[in-house]
Amino acid sequence: MKSFLFKTASFLALSFLLIALIFFLFVRSSKKISKEYTFSNEHKVLFIGDSHIQNAIIDSLCPGFLNMGKNSETYYYSYHKLKAILATENKIERVLLSFDYHNLSNYSDAFFLGEKSPVISSEYFHLLPKKYQIQLLVSNWDKLPTFTRQIIKESTRIADRSNRPFPGKFRNDFFRTQAEDSSIQKRIQTQFYSKKGLNDFSQFNLNYLDSIRLLCQKKEIYFNLIQAPVYSDYLDLIPEEYIEKYRSTTYKFSKETLVVPFDSTTKSYFLPDGDHLSYEGAEVFTEQVLNLDVFNCPKNISTNKNLQ
Amino acid sequence: MLFNTIDFAIFLPIVFGLYWLLKTTGIRSQNFLLLLSSYFFYGWWDWRFLGLILFSTIVDFTIGIYLEKTSAKRHRLALLITSLSINLGLLFFFKYFNFFLDNLNSAFEFFGEPIGIRAAQIVLPVGISFYTFQTLSYTIDIYRKKINASKDLIVFASFVSFFPQLVAGPIERASHLLPQFERERKFDYVSAISGLRQILWGLFKKVVIADNCARVVNSIFSNHAELDGSHLFIGALFFTFQIYGDFSGYSDIAIGTSRLFGFDLMKNFSFPYFSRDIAEFWRRWHISLSTWFRDYLYIPLGGSRGSLAKKIRNTFIIFIVSGFWHGANWTFIVWGALNALYFLPLLLSEKNRINMHIVAHDRKYPTPKELGSMLLTFSLTIFTWIFFRSENLGEALAYISGLFRNPHSYIELGIYLKHYQLFLLLFFFLVVEWMGRKGEFALDRLFSGRSHYAFRFSFYQLIVLLIYWFNAEQQTFIYFQF
């Protein structure tokens, strides 16, 4: 029995060590690549946030813009991503963070330590401080093989240096779509309600919103909040509590909040969920953003003087 | 609890440790631990159905004792019928009730008299077909005076619910498994190491082969109407490997786990895809079920003796019942009937027992004739699996006709290259299975006496790495639904 236990334990320990070694080497390599990565000189304005901004800003229309929005990215991930980018990057002059009603809801807290954590956090793992990495590994212990494998796969993607070591880029494959009532209802339910009723506000997200602002201040970078449009019917269904909270938060950030005029009643500008812009809507929205006073785009976005 | 989960990875070492620690206190406490662990294992999925197992256990235990005590033929028969009625009644209710109701509705509708009885909301208890057949064999064997009734309820309950094989077999015979609960078990190093190897290979089959095939298969079968013939062929081919990897993988883990506890379960698969004819395939596929039907249905019906008509009747009965055992759907019945059609020519020409040994048992490679026979048998099997996998007969027929859609697509390399990773894994799998075909399972005697320890060790580590890396989205075992 002793020999059996010893041999089995040795075999399993070696398997574990081997996988752990591969894991740590890959994570280290990703971290190293992200530290060495430099953006193109032309990128001065950075858009970050979740799928709302990822779908909304067609950065190829303006050379100075870089859309690094990523679906399901909460402010916790945005903060650590931005921190890693700004650690070596000194050409970025302005950061625009997507801020919408759903960012106030705690449904997205599950993206960090909840059930969706392994899928979402694997792309950011190498950018996180050690204590958060350990926290994620511990909280996902029951999905450890899948979780660590996803992190390694992400690292192999990063190792191919043609990819950025930071998740997020413009993506919108939704042509000829339009907002639909049933999808809007579902979306509202997902974002603002649970079985218990109305979702609480996410203090976790709001704290990191403050952290992002502070980080930009510290790095002497302009910081703005920007709202990607939602369809008018969707807007009508947002719970009053959230409308109020949104108002008070934007009031707190009144200097930083950008207001972009947009026709929110045109169905074809939206995906069926009424919560994201279609490609057609993104074209219109990008154009509107370019016309904002803070940019003199596309003529001369490249110097600090043009940024208010 | 699924074998391929962290839950089981924690559960198994704990039960293993406690089990051997209890050795000094005697087999009774070890059996009690196994019983509790088995109920825990089953209850992890749904504790409500534990009552059903308990009920079935008590009924058969009691009937077994009375059967042994009673010598009057009429009373014995009445007891047997009671046991059969209760066990098969439960099985019928949970598994077949809605099927019969649907068909009854359809029949009345066909004759213009719709009765519109609504289907009942019935949840199928996992593994009911497996443990029902196991307890049936117990009662029938006592009736036939082949075994004595168990006098120890803990022993009997442990036999019925033994966790490694509770939910998907192998379906054990009381004459083989029950005595193992009654005698002292000794820890056997060689058997335990072999058990671990079998678990490792079972996990590889399930997690790497079956689950990765499942991803492609699910997508192809759910979109078959829009896909070219070559895609449908790939879907059927991958399902052929999925079902084998899934079910034989489960059996390997079950047998391997039992070995860790000093138990020996019967072999359930013996490299069926290397069979040279359908008769050989059925001697190598789901052996515990095939032999169950042989002993308790086919032989009592007269087997292959008697007139030509009787032979044909018996063959169809056993294959169709076997198909129906898998599920309440016409697709399984057609699957069984097709296998009967494949089997009959061999039986009638008395060629059903010509391939008794594993192919090329004294050689490294098969002869061209053997290779041809294997490929033909394999192709026939692929065809039948389409019925097994389809939701209904209409879908199966549409799938088969779809195989001829855009035949040019069969020569487009891109379609195959799209799945190159899976093809490479299947190639590796087949090579290992071929090299290990003379053992109880592929890794059993793969390296016997000719490889360096370091090489073997590295090979097993490679399997672990492959399991880790190609661990696809977790799928439940297909045979759980049966």
Side-chain angles (χ1 to χ4, degrees):
Chain A
M1 178 65 103
K2 271 183 192 165
S3 168
F4 172 79
L5 289 176
F6 177 74
K7 279 194 176 176
T8 310
S10 313
F11 180 83
L12 292 175
L14 194 75
S15 304
F16 179 79
L17 284 177
L18 201 64
I19 291 167
L21 186 71
I22 293 169
F23 175 75
F24 286 116
L25 285 177
F26 272 99
V27 173
R28 223 180 113 179
S29 140
S30 300
K31 205 170 185 108
K32 192 166 172 261
I33 293 170
S34 66
K35 277 183 181 169
E36 290 166 356
Y37 187 83
T38 49
F39 286 85
S40 152
N41 281 334
E42 66 187 20
H43 294 137
K44 306 284 179 189
V45 179
L46 195 62
F47 289 83
I48 56 169
D50 57 17
S51 53
H52 287 234
I53 206 71
Q54 182 181 28
N55 277 22
I57 299 290
I58 309 174
D59 50 6
S60 58
L61 296 179
C62 178
F65 285 8
L66 180 62
N67 183 350
M68 289 202 67
K70 174 82 181 73
N71 55 308
S72 304
E73 181 174 292
T74 59
Y75 291 155
Y76 166 80
Y77 294 120
S78 294
Y79 170 77
H80 288 291
K81 180 166 86 176
L82 190 62
K83 197 175 170 192
I85 291 171
L86 298 180
T88 52
E89 187 55 50
N90 53 17
K91 296 183 289 286
I92 302 292
E93 294 168 356
R94 185 181 291 271
V95 169
L96 287 98
L97 178 69
S98 169
F99 180 54
D100 300 271
Y101 299 98
H102 72 278
N103 295 119
L104 297 167
S105 169
N106 69 356
Y107 89 106
S108 62
D109 289 0
F111 298 176
F112 175 48
L113 292 178
E115 71 178 284
K116 289 174 186 162
S117 155
V119 182
I120 295 166
S121 63
S122 56
E123 291 185 70
Y124 300 87
F125 191 82
H126 64 288
L127 303 173
L128 302 177
K130 275 204 175 64
K131 71 169 185 179
Y132 293 125
Q133 289 181 334
I134 293 167
Q135 199 177 357
L136 277 169
L137 289 172
V138 171
S139 73
N140 288 305
W141 70 272
D142 56 336
K143 301 159 206 136
L144 217 48
T146 319
F147 183 43
T148 52
R149 202 180 57 242
Q150 269 170 338
I151 294 168
I152 296 175
K153 280 188 177 163
E154 177 62 17
S155 299
T156 56
R157 192 192 66 82
I158 292 168
D160 169 8
R161 302 220 176 204
S162 61
N163 296 312
R164 274 195 214 111
F166 309 104
K169 62 176 179 184
F170 167 73
R171 189 171 178 181
N172 192 331
D173 305 321
F174 301 98
F175 301 92
R176 289 185 293 278
T177 60
Q178 54 178 18
E180 287 168 10
D181 284 349
S182 59
S183 297
I184 292 171
Q185 298 271 4
K186 270 188 205 162
R187 190 72 183 158
I188 290 280
Q189 282 298 322
T190 310
Q191 292 181 328
F192 300 104
Y193 297 95
S194 64
K195 282 176 188 167
K196 294 174 195 163
L198 190 67
N199 286 341
D200 289 334
F201 298 123
S202 171
Q203 202 49 51
F204 184 63
N205 232 15
L206 289 169
N207 290 344
Y208 274 97
L209 175 61
D210 288 332
S211 304
I212 294 170
R213 176 164 69 166
L214 286 172
L215 176 69
C216 290
Q217 274 175 1
K218 201 174 142 192
K219 294 279 178 182
E220 296 181 336
I221 289 168
Y222 292 107
F223 170 71
N224 291 111
L225 292 182
I226 186 167
Q227 185 185 26
V230 290
Y231 183 55
S232 51
D233 287 5
Y234 173 96
L235 194 63
D236 292 342
L237 291 171
I238 295 171
E240 192 54 43
E241 291 87 335
Y242 276 84
I243 302 276
E244 200 46 53
K245 181 73 176 174
Y246 190 82
R247 259 190 220 129
S248 63
T249 313
T250 47
Y251 182 75
K252 186 179 151 192
F253 286 84
S254 55
K255 280 184 187 171
E256 288 98 342
T257 304
L258 295 178
V259 179
V260 186
F262 190 82
D263 172 18
S264 291
T265 57
T266 305
K267 274 189 174 182
S268 61
Y269 288 171
F270 296 92
L271 260 64
D273 65 10
D275 186 29
H276 294 92
L277 289 177
S278 64
Y279 193 87
E280 191 187 342
E283 280 181 319
V284 176
F285 184 68
T286 307
E287 189 68 33
Q288 294 291 83
V289 171
L290 288 173
N291 289 332
L292 287 175
D293 288 345
V294 290
F295 307 118
N296 263 334
C297 197
K299 288 170 278 179
N300 45 7
I301 189 134
S302 58
T303 66
N304 238 337
K305 285 174 197 166
N306 299 314
L307 300 165
Q308 290 175 12
Chain B
M1 199 181 291
L2 294 172
F3 282 159
N4 53 333
T5 55
I6 297 268
D7 305 334
F8 186 71
I10 295 168
F11 169 83
L12 181 61
I14 293 173
V15 180
F16 175 82
L18 289 174
Y19 177 81
W20 289 111
L21 277 176
L22 284 174
K23 191 179 179 322
T24 48
T25 60
I27 54 166
R28 204 169 160 73
S29 48
Q30 279 184 315
N31 286 340
F32 192 63
L33 174 76
L34 284 180
L35 181 63
L36 287 183
S37 312
S38 299
Y39 284 168
F40 180 81
F41 176 88
Y42 192 81
W44 192 260
W45 166 71
D46 194 334
W47 58 270
R48 289 172 303 169
F49 292 113
L50 275 175
L52 205 62
I53 295 185
L54 208 62
F55 174 72
S56 188
T57 304
I58 291 169
V59 165
D60 286 301
F61 179 75
T62 315
I63 288 179
I65 287 174
Y66 279 107
L67 255 178
E68 197 176 64
K69 279 184 186 167
T70 316
S71 52
K73 261 191 174 180
R74 271 181 56 201
H75 288 155
R76 289 174 62 78
L77 189 65
L79 284 167
L80 178 70
I81 290 171
T82 310
S83 168
L84 292 179
S85 309
I86 292 172
N87 284 304
L88 293 176
L90 286 173
L91 187 63
F92 174 84
F93 174 75
F94 283 103
K95 196 164 175 174
Y96 301 104
F97 184 73
N98 279 336
F99 175 76
F100 278 97
L101 212 62
D102 283 348
N103 283 287
L104 198 70
N105 276 332
S106 304
F108 274 94
E109 210 172 295
F110 182 77
F111 291 109
E113 293 286 337
I115 47 171
I117 305 173
R118 277 193 198 160
Q121 293 272 338
I122 300 170
V123 181
L124 182 67
V126 165
I128 188 168
S129 311
F130 290 91
Y131 67 75
T132 301
F133 270 48
Q134 193 155 304
T135 50
L136 280 180
S137 81
Y138 169 77
T139 323
I140 297 170
D141 281 354
I142 296 175
Y143 177 77
R144 289 176 175 177
K145 295 186 177 171
K146 280 188 175 174
I147 57 167
N148 294 323
S150 172
K151 312 288 183 308
D152 186 334
L153 184 59
I154 302 290
V155 163
F156 183 70
S158 308
F159 155 74
V160 175
S161 63
F162 189 39
F163 75 86
Q165 45 92 241
L166 171 62
V167 287
I171 303 165
E172 277 295 333
R173 306 299 171 75
S175 56
H176 180 236
L177 187 58
L178 203 53
Q180 296 185 53
F181 280 98
E182 287 163 344
R183 65 172 178 248
E184 192 189 343
R185 273 90 59 181
K186 281 182 188 156
F187 181 79
D188 179 39
Y189 173 82
V190 176
S191 175
I193 288 286
S194 166
L196 283 183
R197 274 205 299 265
Q198 197 158 2
I199 292 173
L200 183 67
W201 190 240
L203 272 176
F204 176 83
K205 282 185 190 175
K206 166 63 184 162
V207 170
V208 179
I209 299 300
D211 287 356
N212 280 289
C213 283
R215 282 196 306 189
V216 182
V217 170
N218 293 346
S219 136
I220 291 177
F221 269 81
S222 52
N223 299 297
H224 68 90
E226 289 105 47
L227 296 170
D228 290 334
S230 55
H231 283 103
L232 301 195
F233 170 72
I234 286 174
L237 176 72
F238 284 173
F239 181 68
T240 306
F241 284 105
Q242 183 198 343
I243 185 104
Y244 175 56
D246 192 284
F247 192 23
S248 72
Y250 186 94
S251 294
D252 279 342
I253 301 170
I255 296 167
T257 305
S258 305
R259 283 191 176 161
L260 295 178
F261 294 90
F263 287 87
D264 171 43
L265 296 186
M266 73 181 293
K267 192 156 108 172
N268 215 16
F269 288 86
S270 183
F271 311 100
Y273 290 156
F274 297 144
S275 301
R276 286 150 289 179
D277 59 54
I278 285 294
E280 186 186 3
F281 176 83
W282 279 106
R283 280 193 296 275
R284 298 183 177 281
W285 181 274
H286 203 175
I287 299 165
S288 65
L289 182 74
S290 313
T291 51
W292 198 101
F293 278 123
R294 183 197 63 198
D295 295 346
Y296 298 106
L297 185 67
Y298 187 62
I299 292 174
L301 283 171
S304 57
R305 282 170 297 177
S307 65
L308 181 71
K310 212 171 178 184
K311 278 181 188 171
I312 296 173
R313 183 201 70 179
N314 292 350
T315 304
F316 269 100
I317 286 177
I318 190 173
F319 275 106
I320 287 173
V321 171
S322 169
F324 201 48
W325 175 90
H326 285 86
N329 196 325
W330 286 102
T331 51
F332 294 118
I333 295 172
V334 172
W335 173 75
L338 269 176
N339 276 292
L341 281 176
Y342 290 165
F343 181 78
L344 263 178
L346 294 169
L347 178 75
L348 299 179
S349 60
E350 294 183 351
K351 286 183 178 169
N352 58 318
R353 300 187 71 81
I354 53 171
N355 293 314
M356 299 303 286
H357 295 291
I358 186 77
V359 62
H361 67 280
D362 50 356
R363 281 168 284 123
K364 243 184 181 175
Y365 304 107
T367 62
K369 190 187 165 197
E370 284 170 336
L371 189 65
S373 311
M374 280 195 294
L375 283 174
L376 179 66
T377 311
F378 186 68
S379 310
L380 290 172
T381 315
I382 294 178
F383 182 70
T384 59
W385 287 131
I386 295 172
F387 286 91
F388 198 95
R389 174 61 179 76
S390 298
E391 297 288 324
N392 51 55
L393 280 183
E395 186 186 306
L397 295 174
Y399 195 99
I400 291 163
S401 68
L403 284 167
F404 303 99
R405 198 179 300 132
N406 190 11
H408 297 292
S409 67
Y410 279 93
I411 51 168
E412 284 169 21
L413 202 61
I415 290 166
Y416 305 98
L417 285 177
K418 195 175 146 193
H419 304 291
Y420 80 95
Q421 216 172 49
L422 196 44
F423 276 116
L424 282 176
L425 286 172
L426 288 174
F427 178 73
F428 171 79
F429 169 64
L430 282 175
V431 168
V432 176
E433 286 262 300
W434 177 263
M435 288 171 69
R437 72 191 180 284
K438 289 166 197 169
E440 287 286 302
F441 59 97
L443 301 187
D444 185 28
R445 282 192 264 158
L446 189 65
F447 298 115
S448 53
R450 53 194 162 123
S451 323
H452 195 270
Y453 175 76
F455 178 74
R456 271 185 287 157
F457 192 82
S458 311
F459 182 79
Y460 298 141
Q461 287 292 353
L462 172 72
I463 303 277
V464 172
L465 274 181
L466 288 172
I467 290 172
Y468 170 73
W469 192 250
F470 291 102
N471 188 349
E473 195 185 324
Q474 205 174 75
Q475 310 267 340
T476 185
F477 287 89
I478 295 175
Y479 267 69
F480 275 23
Q481 64 187 296
F482 305 141

